[in-house]
Amino acid sequence: MDLNFNKNEDHNKLLLSDLRRKFKIVKLGGGEKRIQKLHNEGKMTARERIDFLLDADAKSIEIGAFVGDGMYAEHGGCPSGGVVIKIGYIQGKQCIVVANDATVKAGAWFPITGKKNLRAQEIAMENRLPIIYLVDSAGVYLPLQDEIFPDKEHFGRIFRNNALMSSMGITQIAAVMGSCVAGGAYLPIMSDEALIVDKTGSIFLAGSYLVKAAIGESIDNETLGGAATHCEISGVTDYKAKDDADALNKIKNIISKIGDYDKAGYNRVASEKPLLNPEEMYGVLPKARNEQYDMMEIIKRLVDNSEFEAYKEGYGQTLITGYARIDGWAVGIVANQRKVVKTAKGEMQFGGVIYSDSADKATRFIANCNQKKIPLVFLQDVTGFMVGSKSEHGGIIKDGAKMVNAVSNSVVPKFTVIIGNSYGAGNYAMCGKAYDPRLIFAWPSAELAVMGGTQAAKVLAQIEASSLKAKGEVVDEEKEAELFAKIKAKYDEQVSPYYAASRLWTDAIIDPLDTRTWISMGIEAANHAPILKPFNMGVLQV
């Protein structure tokens, strides 16, 4: 390996080390003292509950671990959005589990908590996965109630989704393992089956203090809405558990008896490891985001046997399209080529840029994958579409629109991996979050923005300088440099993969070596949901 490879490897492993450090902090939720408080109450933490529930010897993936990162500082923060979500296996059946983290503001719902819960339900609905709710929440975080209560994508959408999933035949099981109050009380009772833990679980529309204030009745919370009340008097819950472990074991028993599901029928054979060492991806991916590299070197370290069947290999070379297998699953890969390529006409094309011929090729390939019922994997490292008079006269907007149309109308499951740059309309064409990938996740090297930090900062600094000059202020080179540095620092923070993950623009930031697991488990989940409509791109300008 050359010196450049070693520098890249060192840089990317430092990014991975930073990811692991941040995740270690996030896993503590509200902190060690609050974890100990839960244990003193005889309760498990959200993560302990999920780990107990999921099969110990099976893989799992976590959705939204960095949600809320850097947000709500004035309210004490909201690690992981106050809720832990994992896709894993219970008694061999793939499920999604949602657990309130009572160490974070007693499990109260911040605005981002609502968004994350809705994402879990979206995954369950798209893939028809059984969903388990482990409820331990004080309800809406009142200081921010105006940002979570009344709108379409707010708290109430949760219960609407409960109803829809029930009508779709998607299994929903809820265990009330702590507080479950006010509007939140509807979630477990709108599930198919509800459990409650004796002495620690409670469900009521209003607690004892509010009942006293509202109607003058004096009553304790246990009598008002504890396990005995709801299992023996109201009939609101179906099972009473003596403690957390008992409740989780009851869920395992229920899941173990669920019948098989209708499969979409995606092609799978025995899994094979890549022939080329996946760990070499750390050295292939360059330290600087504007450096060129061969994306095929990444692909060969991701796919089974390092085998890739290229589609239109010599045409539209700034996009790589072709067929492969990942963990045995057949996939169609659309990837940005990041090295400068030479066309048959002798013209040079920049890596990471989508040209008309690239977009045209991708559109046709996406249509073919839909025709063959092959899931699509998008590997993003894109700076955008080509600009300039030659591209405009050649119809780049039209060709880009065709690609966006194909991505939008795809009926096969789509999975998006943001490896490096994800800028502007390139993000859209390569199946960004707005285009409904079943899962979208980033490597620590990713950047998401309208454009690169340096270019954007230059534009914004020029605008700011012009504004100051118009007000009669002197703007010399030193002042311009100061403006640029200030704007660049802010922009760099916003293009960080953690900024995107915090807002759930991506489902996770992962170690590149976990990419195969994410895609494989994602396709397995998608296989629960047969395709219900034909592929149709509608009206196109050809």
Side-chain angles (χ1 to χ4, degrees), residues 5-70:
F5 181 97
N6 292 334
K7 288 181 178 179
N8 292 340
E9 185 177 45
D10 290 344
H11 172 74
N12 287 307
K13 286 190 173 180
L14 282 173
L15 292 179
L16 182 59
S17 177
D18 192 42
L19 171 66
R20 289 170 175 160
R21 178 185 63 80
K22 287 176 178 286
F23 184 60
K24 188 176 181 180
I25 295 170
V26 158
K27 286 177 70 175
L28 293 175
E32 292 179 347
K33 288 184 178 179
R34 291 179 182 173
I35 290 173
Q36 187 57 51
K37 182 183 177 183
L38 280 187
H39 289 166
N40 293 342
E41 295 171 355
K43 296 163 70 174
M44 299 179 185
T45 66
R47 292 182 180 279
E48 288 168 345
R49 287 167 174 167
I50 292 176
D51 288 345
F52 187 98
L53 188 59
L54 296 181
D55 296 346
D57 57 348
K59 293 180 178 179
S60 66
I61 57 178
E62 181 170 348
I63 304 295
F66 292 103
V67 162
D69 181 63

Side-chain angles (χ1 to χ4, degrees), residues 71 103 211-212 249 256 342 443 491 522 537:
M71 299 172 68
T103 70
V211 168
K212 176 68 173 176
N249 280 324
S256 70
K342 189 175 183 180
W443 290 3
Y491 204 90
M537 289 176 58

Side-chain angles (χ1 to χ4, degrees), residues 27-318:
K27 286 177 70 175
L28 293 175
E32 292 179 347
K33 288 184 178 179
R34 291 179 182 173
I35 290 173
Q36 187 57 51
K37 182 183 177 183
L38 280 187
H39 289 166
N40 293 342
E41 295 171 355
K43 296 163 70 174
M44 299 179 185
T45 66
R47 292 182 180 279
E48 288 168 345
R49 287 167 174 167
I50 292 176
D51 288 345
F52 187 98
L53 188 59
L54 296 181
D55 296 346
D57 57 348
K59 293 180 178 179
S60 66
I61 57 178
E62 181 170 348
I63 304 295
F66 292 103
V67 162
D69 181 63
M71 299 172 68
Y72 310 116
E74 67 276 23
H75 297 278
C78 189
S80 282
V83 62
V84 182
I85 298 171
K86 286 189 179 182
I87 300 174
Y89 302 86
I90 302 173
Q91 301 294 289
K93 289 183 170 60
Q94 194 177 43
C95 302
I96 184 164
V97 185
V98 182
N100 298 115
D101 186 349
T103 70
V104 180
K105 298 289 184 183
W109 288 54
F110 283 66
I112 200 67
T113 315
K115 184 174 182 179
K116 185 171 175 180
N117 276 269
L118 287 171
R119 176 61 179 144
Q121 290 186 321
E122 179 183 42
I123 291 171
M125 293 167 79
E126 284 183 329
N127 300 290
R128 296 179 179 266
L129 278 184
I131 183 168
I132 293 88
Y133 309 99
L134 307 180
V135 183
D136 193 347
S137 171
V140 167
Y141 183 62
L142 291 178
L144 297 173
Q145 64 85 26
D146 62 317
E147 298 179 38
I148 191 173
F149 170 62
D151 208 350
K152 181 178 179 180
E153 300 297 335
H154 283 178
F155 192 70
R157 190 80 169 181
I158 302 288
F159 316 129
R160 173 263 192 189
N161 287 349
N162 287 141
L164 285 186
M165 281 190 278
S166 182
S167 71
M168 295 168 67
I170 298 170
T171 297
Q172 299 178 85
I173 300 170
V176 179
M177 311 179 82
S179 297
C180 183
V181 301
Y186 287 106
L187 184 146
I189 311 312
M190 293 190 74
S191 299
D192 301 330
E193 295 182 272
L195 306 85
I196 186 168
V197 179
D198 196 23
K199 300 299 186 289
T200 58
S202 59
I203 310 171
F204 33 66
L205 295 180
S208 57
Y209 292 119
L210 186 54
V211 168
K212 176 68 173 176
I215 64 173
E217 181 184 4
S218 295
I219 189 170
D220 63 89
N221 281 338
E222 185 65 25
T223 305
L224 180 66
T229 294
H230 287 310
C231 287
E232 299 166 18
I233 300 173
S234 72
V236 164
T237 51
D238 306 307
Y239 307 92
K240 182 166 69 172
K242 62 183 180 181
D243 55 24
D244 281 9
D246 186 35
L248 297 169
N249 280 324
K250 288 180 185 296
I251 293 173
K252 290 182 182 182
N253 289 336
I254 295 169
I255 294 291
S256 70
K257 297 174 179 65
I258 295 175
D260 203 1
Y261 57 91
D262 295 332
K263 296 173 178 62
Y266 302 118
N267 186 283
R268 192 180 196 185
V269 299
S271 175
E272 300 284 350
K273 293 181 180 180
L275 291 180
L276 298 182
N277 184 2
E279 291 196 6
E280 292 173 355
M281 290 189 292
Y282 300 129
V284 172
L285 192 66
K287 176 179 178 180
R289 299 308 318 125
N290 59 352
E291 285 184 26
Q292 303 287 301
Y293 66 97
D294 188 353
M295 180 62 83
M296 278 305 307
E297 295 303 315
I298 297 289
I299 293 172
K300 288 176 181 178
R301 288 163 175 81
L302 285 177
V303 301
D304 292 14
N305 280 324
S306 299
E307 294 176 349
F308 182 78
E309 185 68 34
Y311 173 83
K312 290 184 180 288
E313 184 174 14
Y315 177 73
Q317 295 178 69
T318 63

